[in-house]
Amino acid sequence: MPYFTTRKHSRRPAAPARAVLLLAALGSTAALTAACSAGPAGVELGDDWEGSRTFALAKVDGLVTVVGINPDKPGAQSLAAVPQQSDDDDAVSPHIARLADGRWVVTVPRKDDKPDRRYVVNRKDRTLDGIRGDERLRRIVPGKTLVGEVAGLPDSKAADGGPASSVLVRDPADWSTERELKVPGTIGFAASDPSSDTICLGSGSDTRTRISVANLSDGKVTPVAVPDGLDVKALACMAGRPVIAGSDPSGKSGQAKVSVTRGTDATAVSVNGGRVDAVRATGSSIVVAVAKGKDTELVEVDATSGKELHRARIKDLAASLNITPTPAGWLVYAENTVTRVNLATGESKQFDLPGTLQDS
C-alpha cells in the first residue's frame, strides 16, 4: 500500500476522513457500474478493472470519476462516476485512500457542515458501494490495523488554549471509534505506512510546521523536532518514523542535491537547488520529486546514508502533485497527466488522465 500524504489542491483540506458503518450497496441508482462505454453526463467509462494497479480521482466534464491506472500498458481510464448530489462542497476536493486490507475508500465533502459521503470501490462488481459517514472534512490515514481520520480544520483546543485538530482512531473492520487524539494547530501533512499503526502528521498555527507521531494503538501523540532552517514541503512515514522533506534556499543553480540527516526521532531530507514537490519512503530508500525549472527530477537516495542511488529527469514537467511506487515503475502525477518512470534506467512514459486530477 502506498503512503498517503496530504497536499493542497484548490482548497483541499490537509485532512482525513470520518467514521463509517458499512451500508448495503446503494442499489442500481447509486452503485454505478463502469462496464458500459458511456456513463452519467456522457462521461466515457472504461473496463480495465483487472489491469488497474492503483486508483485516483479526476474531474471529467464536471463529474468526479474513479480512475484506474494501469502502469504496465501504461494508461488511465475512468472506471466509475462518483454520484453527484446537490449538497456536494465543490470548494473542497474529494479524497481517495487505500486501506491496509486493500479496500479503496472515496470521500466526498458536503456543504453546511454535513458529514462527508463515502464509497468503497467494489472491484468485483465494478461498482461504488455507499458507506455512511458521520464526520466532516476528514482525510483517511490508514495504519496497519487501525485508521486515523484527520480533521481538515481545527475543531478543538490544545492544552495551551490554542487551536487543535482532532484525529479519530477507527477500527476499519466495523468503523467503530477507538479513541480521539488532539494535535496542535491545523494539520497540513499526513502520512502513514502499512507496517505500523503509528502515523506521521505535520501541523502549524503559524509559519512554522510542527511534526508529530500519533500512535493509533495507545493514543500517544509525540512531537518531533524539525531541523532549523528546513522549510517543510512534504512528509513521508517509514514504519512510524517521519521523513521530513524541505528545500534549502541557499542553492539555486546546478544539479539538485538531496541530503539526508538521520536523527533520533526523524529523518530530514534537504534539497539544494530545487523545489520539493513530493517524498516517499520505501523500506531502505527515499524517493523525492524535485522541480527544477521546467523539468522534474526523481531522485532516490539510501534512507540511512543518503547516498544517491538513482536519478531520472522528466522533461517539461514543471510540478508534480504526488508520486507512487508500482512494480512497473514510479508514477508521477501532474494535473492532467501521469508519468511512469523507471529509476534504474531513467526511461519514462507519459500518458493522459481522462480529466483533471483531484486526488491520488
Side-chain angles (χ1 to χ4, degrees):
M1 182 177 73
Y3 311 103
F4 295 91
T5 303
T6 63
R7 57 173 172 36
K8 302 284 176 63
H9 186 90
S10 182
R11 193 174 67 85
R12 173 179 305 171
R18 21 316 25 191
V20 181
L21 291 175
L22 194 58
L23 281 179
L26 290 180
S28 59
T29 59
L32 305 175
T33 63
C36 54
S37 59
V43 173
E44 183 177 351
L45 299 179
D47 59 3
D48 189 20
W49 287 83
E50 291 187 5
S52 297
R53 300 290 176 255
T54 187
F55 292 97
L57 297 178
K59 182 167 283 190
V60 183
D61 294 332
L63 191 66
V64 176
T65 68
V66 175
V67 176
I69 297 175
N70 185 335
D72 299 307
K73 282 190 174 180
Q77 295 181 352
S78 291
L79 297 179
V82 179
Q84 279 189 314
Q85 304 291 339
S86 60
D87 60 357
D88 288 352
D89 189 345
D90 295 331
V92 184
S93 294
H95 170 54
I96 189 168
R98 183 174 186 249
L99 307 184
D101 62 11
R103 286 180 292 165
W104 289 83
V105 178
V106 177
T107 302
V108 181
R110 299 165 68 197
K111 299 175 183 176
D112 302 324
D113 295 327
K114 295 178 181 178
D116 294 353
R117 289 186 293 110
R118 294 182 177 185
Y119 304 91
V120 171
V121 179
N122 185 331
R123 300 185 69 151
K124 179 180 178 182
D125 296 334
R126 301 187 173 190
T127 64
L128 299 182
D129 295 342
I131 56 177
R132 178 176 297 155
D134 60 7
E135 298 289 339
R136 171 164 170 74
L137 294 181
R138 288 181 173 271
R139 175 173 286 269
I140 295 176
V141 185
K144 182 178 181 180
T145 63
L146 298 169
V147 168
E149 297 187 346
V150 182
L153 298 170
D155 55 1
S156 61
K157 295 289 185 181
D160 61 3
S165 302
S166 64
V167 178
L168 300 179
V169 180
R170 309 279 197 185
D171 182 345
D174 58 7
W175 294 102
S176 59
T177 302
E178 300 288 320
R179 59 185 55 86
E180 180 178 353
L181 315 179
K182 290 184 179 180
V183 177
T186 302
I187 297 175
F189 301 97
S192 62
D193 179 337
S195 70
S196 173
D197 272 327
T198 297
I199 64 175
C200 303
L201 304 170
S203 64
S205 55
D206 46 32
T207 57
R208 182 173 176 81
T209 299
R210 291 172 287 185
I211 303 298
S212 304
V213 293
N215 189 319
L216 303 181
S217 299
D218 62 17
K220 186 177 181 181
V221 178
T222 306
V224 174
V226 177
D228 291 338
L230 185 67
D231 183 12
V232 180
K233 296 298 184 183
L235 179 68
C237 207
M238 183 184 293
R241 178 185 177 88
V243 178
I244 311 166
S247 301
D248 178 355
S250 64
K252 299 297 183 182
S253 61
Q255 180 174 264
K257 181 180 179 181
V258 178
S259 302
V260 173
T261 303
R262 188 175 176 85
T264 303
D265 302 317
T267 298
V269 178
S270 178
V271 176
N272 186 297
R275 184 190 70 241
V276 176
D277 281 344
V279 63
R280 299 295 281 271
T282 59
S284 61
S285 68
I286 297 169
V287 176
V288 188
V290 182
K292 188 170 181 61
K294 296 181 179 180
D295 302 335
T296 290
E297 290 188 336
L298 213 58
V299 185
E300 182 180 18
V301 296
D302 184 275
T304 302
S305 67
K307 179 182 177 181
E308 184 172 316
L309 303 175
H310 299 102
R311 180 186 294 255
R313 179 181 290 271
I314 307 170
K315 294 183 177 180
D316 299 320
L317 185 68
S320 55
L321 298 176
N322 196 15
I323 56 177
T324 301
T326 75
W330 281 82
L331 301 180
V332 182
Y333 293 83
E335 190 172 40
N336 299 110
T337 65
V338 180
T339 304
R340 185 193 66 188
V341 179
N342 185 326
L343 270 173
T345 65
E347 297 178 351
S348 64
K349 173 67 176 179
Q350 188 174 92
F351 52 98
D352 291 333
L353 287 165
T356 303
L357 184 70
Q358 300 292 291
D359 195 36
S360 61

